[in-house]
């Protein structure tokens, strides 16, 4: 697979990964709080208290991020792709750091699995950013040429 194909696949993987979580956060915030990532294995409820406003706002922001990732995957323009990946990191890095510093209420299996999942959320955009720097991986933004002005 080409660098371009890997970048597109990575962007879409991220969008598909974030999309369902964002939809549940926005439309069923209490379900997300009580049951994410799976019923009987909640990670979010281990960090109370529940706040419906916060859950729905995070869901809407997650879906906004999904939109940007999908547009980047479709357009494959250097600025768009790199901005989408950098924006993902602006969220993913502090989110990861917060969670690794707040594992005291987590069973070991949940602490490990959550750390791995959130770590992928940091490593993947970093790897895709590095890949995006390869020659020919992305298209520059094309601007329409101006007709020559006559004197």
């Amino acid at each position: 697979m080409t660098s371009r194909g890997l970048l597109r696949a990575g962007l879409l993987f991220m969008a598909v990964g974030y999309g369902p979580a964002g939809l549940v956060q926005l439309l069923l915030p209490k379900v997300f709080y009580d049951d994410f990532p799976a019923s009987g294995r909640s990670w979010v409820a281990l960090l109370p208290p529940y706040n419906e406003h916060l859950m729905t706002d995070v869901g809407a922001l997650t879906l906004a991020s999904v939109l940007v990732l999908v547009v980047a995957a479709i357009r494959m323009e250097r600025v768009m792709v790199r901005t989408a990946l950098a924006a993902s990191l602006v969220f993913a890095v502090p989110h990861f750091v917060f969670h690794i510093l707040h594992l005291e209420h987590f069973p070991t299996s949940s602490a490990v699995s959550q750390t791995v999942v959130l770590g992928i959320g940091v490593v993947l955009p970093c790897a895709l950013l590095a890949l995006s720097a390869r020659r020919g991986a992305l298209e520059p933004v094309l601007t329409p040429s101006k007709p020559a002005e006559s004197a």
Side-chain angles (χ1 to χ4, degrees), residues 14 85-86 88-89 93 119-132:
M14 290 172 62
L85 292 169
S88 293
L89 285 170
V93 170
I120 291 168
V122 173
V123 171
L124 181 58
C126 286
L128 293 173
L129 273 170
L131 184 60
S132 73

Side-chain angles (χ1 to χ4, degrees), residues 69-141:
L69 289 164
V70 169
V71 171
I74 292 168
R75 297 297 305 234
M76 294 302 289
E77 294 172 346
R78 182 176 319 281
V79 171
M80 186 71 204
V81 168
R82 294 180 66 85
T83 300
L85 292 169
S88 293
L89 285 170
V90 167
F91 169 76
V93 170
H95 188 223
F96 177 74
V97 169
F98 176 88
H99 281 282
I100 62 171
L101 295 176
H102 296 89
L103 293 171
E104 58 274 0
H105 301 296
F106 284 70
T108 302
S109 63
S110 291
V112 169
S113 55
Q114 176 184 261
T115 301
V116 168
V117 168
L118 295 178
I120 291 168
V122 173
V123 171
L124 181 58
C126 286
L128 293 173
L129 273 170
L131 184 60
S132 73
R134 293 180 75 180
R135 181 179 285 267
L138 296 169
E139 301 295 327
V141 176

Side-chain angles (χ1 to χ4, degrees), residues 31-89:
V31 169
F32 184 87
Y33 180 82
D34 289 337
D35 295 328
F36 184 83
S39 184
R41 189 178 178 137
S42 178
W43 294 343
V44 183
L46 293 172
L47 297 168
Y50 171 72
N51 183 315
E52 181 178 3
H53 176 217
L54 179 60
M55 293 302 313
T56 57
D57 282 359
V58 170
L61 287 169
T62 300
L63 292 175
S65 177
V66 168
L67 173 65
V68 173
L69 289 164
V70 169
V71 171
I74 292 168
R75 297 297 305 234
M76 294 302 289
E77 294 172 346
R78 182 176 319 281
V79 171
M80 186 71 204
V81 168
R82 294 180 66 85
T83 300
L85 292 169
S88 293
L89 285 170

